[in-house]
Amino acid sequence: MSVAVEMSETTVERDNDAEPLLDSIDRKEDLLTTSVEEDSSSSNKIGPHGNKYSISSVRCFGVDLTPDNIAIALVYFVQGILGLSDLAVSFYLKDNLHLDPAETAVISGFSSLPWLIKPLYGFISDSFPLFGYRRRSYLVLSGLLGALSWVFMATFVDSKYGAASCLLIGSLSVAFSDVVVDSMVVERARGESQSMSGSLQSLCWGSSAFGGIVSSYFSGSLVDSYGVRSVFGVTALLPLITSAVSVLVKEEPVHGPARGLSLGNGFFESSKSSIFQLWGAVKQPNVLFPTLFIFLFQATPQSGSAMFYFITNKLGFTPEFLGRVKLVTSVASLIGVALYNSFLKKVPLRKVFLVTAIIGSALGMTQVLLVTGLNQHFGISDEWFSIGDSLILSVLGQAFFMPVLVLAARICPLGMEATFFATLMSIANGGSTLGGLLGAGLTQIFGVTKDRFDNLTLLIVVCNLSSLLPLQLLSLLPRDVPDSEENTDIEMISS
């Protein structure tokens, strides 16, 4: 199994949460913070701290649970709980449509394409208010679009092309809502210390992990008891939560295009200016080198789809058992968030990458024991071995990804939060998609099919060793900015 971290996204983009054994590594100080409602032109001028009075006495991960922050947490929670359909999708492609591992990997890669153009959604959200709002209205639209895609999966879809199209639409829904909520997060992170930025990201990804725990508890048993179509039907209700929580977002209405945009020459000039501003931010060494490193790290081949076929067709793992394993991985992800928030948010980025990559690659090799059956020689059953393996790798994977999110959030320039953060995440998602497609190609080359696993061991070894190659570029990462409670923004250079 290759060491790859899953991006923000449910459906098949958080896809390999659907295959818990496959891509588990496939995101001190609690500041006394207060907040008060401020007059602002957007949804997000309520920072985590800095005011004398507090409108919220309840905190989570050191962040006040204001209505805005509750809305953010709930959107991330929906992204996690949408994992309810992950096992159903995997079994639907394998058993109902009778696809091979390589075909399944290709459909997964195709379905993740909306995550590669997230800057477009950010530009739309930042620049073109819908019904007068830049955030609320797009959350409503994203939820409705996601619900529609799962309704089709539950009723009409009966081919791989139809399934790929619906999964693509569902992925688009989650990607767009992810961009919107990310923009709200980075607006709050601007000017905050590294610790508080880490607390914000911990709240978000902790909510997502909790949603994953809830969905994991039911995902396998629902597939066993009611079938994949019924699970798709239940999943169709979940995106509507995203639409509903939009009422909690504090946002002043905007009349006309944001930032003075208008159709015609003015629109194109402003678009050109935004692109130059974006490029001016991205080309800085403190941004470009970490982004390149993450892309290459994510682009290493993945053996996830092949392993899913092995554990279901060869080992006979049932949907109910895989649901239990998925529950373990979801809990492990939450532990990973807590681990980062408590101990790692001040650790230099280079050290986190180096240690987690090496340990992750080594632990990924343990799947060879499962494939060859050596685990049974040590008296460990396939089931218990799989649970333990997934637990450790999930904790490590989440702890690895959190610093990436913190760094990205803190360097977003004023006025284009959604666009910039989405650009960074899209580049990382592009690497993950490329890694999945490379894994599909290697699966085909090694002759691994739905009932032939002779070369699966070789595939796992190649994928895991390849994850160490990007470590040669570790020196390109900038040294971390010292933590302080002062404004620690990195200034952006406009072109």
Side-chain angles (χ1 to χ4, degrees):
M1 178 174 71
S2 105
V3 183
V5 180
E6 296 306 315
M7 297 289 93
S8 101
E9 44 158 254
T10 331
T11 71
V12 181
E13 174 62 18
R14 291 202 188 233
D15 45 43
N16 294 330
D17 270 342
E19 303 158 0
L21 309 180
L22 319 183
D23 286 331
S24 299
I25 303 187
D26 256 95
R27 29 240 311 166
K28 170 178 177 180
E29 80 181 290
D30 274 340
L31 301 178
L32 297 178
T33 63
T34 58
S35 59
V36 65
E37 293 187 8
E38 299 178 4
D39 183 16
S40 66
S41 61
S42 68
S43 63
N44 28 31
K45 299 303 181 185
I46 303 179
H49 72 332
N51 297 306
K52 295 183 179 180
Y53 308 100
S54 175
I55 65 173
S56 173
S57 60
V58 180
R59 290 174 183 164
C60 185
F61 291 106
V63 178
D64 283 338
L65 294 184
T66 62
D68 266 359
N69 290 335
I70 290 174
I72 290 172
L74 285 175
V75 173
Y76 274 92
F77 172 79
V78 169
Q79 292 185 13
I81 201 173
L82 279 172
L84 181 70
S85 65
D86 288 345
L87 280 177
V89 169
S90 297
F91 279 99
Y92 177 75
L93 297 178
K94 181 178 77 75
D95 296 334
N96 293 61
L97 299 184
H98 308 292
L99 302 182
D100 282 331
E103 291 179 297
T104 300
V106 170
I107 288 182
S108 297
F110 175 76
S111 301
S112 66
L113 290 179
W115 292 84
L116 308 186
I117 54 173
K118 287 176 65 178
L120 176 61
Y121 319 142
F123 179 75
I124 293 173
S125 175
D126 283 340
S127 305
F128 297 102
L130 186 63
F131 303 112
Y133 295 97
R134 296 193 303 156
R135 309 303 185 213
R136 282 183 179 178
S137 54
Y138 286 107
L139 287 178
V140 172
L141 183 62
S142 296
L144 294 177
L145 187 64
L148 183 64
S149 68
W150 290 110
V151 166
F152 284 145
M153 284 291 290
T155 53
F156 304 117
V157 173
D158 59 1
S159 69
K160 62 183 179 181
Y161 300 106
S165 299
C166 285
L167 293 175
L168 182 72
I169 295 172
S171 182
L172 172 63
S173 163
V174 181
F176 210 121
S177 65
D178 185 67
V179 169
V180 172
V181 76
D182 280 345
S183 69
M184 297 170 64
V185 171
V186 298
E187 286 168 334
R188 285 159 177 74
R190 182 186 297 108
E192 301 298 337
S193 66
Q194 179 176 317
S195 295
M196 180 51 65
S197 297
S199 295
L200 286 168
Q201 292 293 347
S202 297
L203 173 65
C204 297
W205 287 83
S207 300
S208 178
F210 181 68
I213 292 172
V214 174
S215 68
S216 301
Y217 185 79
F218 298 103
S219 58
S221 58
L222 286 177
V223 172
D224 261 344
S225 302
Y226 300 102
V228 294
R229 296 282 191 181
S230 297
V231 175
F232 295 153
V234 173
T235 305
L237 301 175
L238 302 178
L240 299 179
I241 300 176
T242 298
S243 300
V245 301
S246 62
V247 300
L248 297 176
V249 177
K250 178 180 174 60
E251 180 178 15
E252 296 295 329
V254 177
H255 302 289
R259 299 204 304 264
L261 291 179
S262 60
L263 295 177
N265 292 333
F267 165 76
F268 292 109
E269 287 299 323
S270 184
S271 300
K272 181 180 178 181
S273 176
S274 296
I275 292 174
F276 278 126
Q277 183 183 4
L278 181 63
W279 171 242
V282 171
K283 70 181 182 180
Q284 293 186 95
N286 281 350
V287 179
L288 181 60
F289 293 146
T291 303
L292 177 62
F293 177 82
I294 293 300
F295 174 82
L296 294 175
F297 194 86
Q298 291 291 94
T300 56
Q302 303 165 16
S303 58
S305 294
M307 275 301 298
F308 177 74
Y309 278 75
F310 175 79
I311 62 178
T312 53
N313 289 356
K314 185 72 172 180
L315 300 184
F317 287 180
T318 65
E320 182 177 4
F321 174 74
L322 291 179
R324 295 173 185 171
V325 178
K326 189 171 183 293
L327 175 61
V328 170
T329 61
S330 297
V331 173
S333 294
L334 188 58
I335 294 174
V337 172
L339 175 67
Y340 170 79
N341 191 64
S342 300
F343 304 107
L344 300 178
K345 60 186 178 184
K346 292 185 179 180
V347 175
L349 194 61
R350 294 183 184 182
K351 291 184 179 179
V352 176
F353 280 137
L354 178 64
V355 173
T356 55
I358 294 176
I359 295 177
S361 179
L363 292 177
M365 293 293 187
T366 58
Q367 287 196 328
V368 172
L369 302 179
L370 186 65
V371 172
T372 58
L374 290 177
N375 58 290
Q376 296 183 6
H377 290 286
F378 296 101
I380 306 174
S381 68
D382 293 337
E383 290 79 7
W384 281 108
F385 185 88
S386 300
I387 290 175
D389 187 57
S390 299
L391 174 66
I392 297 172
L393 292 178
S394 294
V395 171
L396 187 66
Q398 193 65 51
F400 162 83
F401 192 52
M402 293 299 296
V404 180
L405 299 171
V406 172
L407 176 64
R410 295 180 69 207
I411 60 178
C412 290
L414 180 65
M416 55 184 306
E417 298 87 4
T419 307
F420 186 81
F421 192 85
T423 299
L424 298 183
M425 293 298 99
S426 290
I427 292 172
N429 288 332
S432 181
T433 299
L434 178 60
L437 294 177
L438 290 175
L442 288 177
T443 300
Q444 191 74 26
I445 292 173
F446 290 149
V448 177
T449 65
K450 57 186 177 183
D451 50 17
R452 289 189 56 192
F453 306 102
D454 296 338
N455 293 325
L456 181 56
T457 297
L458 180 59
L459 176 64
I460 293 172
V461 171
V462 170
C463 289
N464 276 280
L465 290 180
S466 68
S467 67
L468 298 177
L469 295 177
L471 293 182
Q472 301 178 58
L473 303 177
L474 200 60
S475 61
L476 296 180
L477 293 181
R479 296 189 181 278
D480 295 87
V481 178
D483 191 25
S484 73
E485 297 184 17
E486 303 294 328
N487 186 329
T488 56
D489 288 352
I490 297 176
E491 294 296 329
M492 293 297 152
I493 301 174
S494 300
S495 295

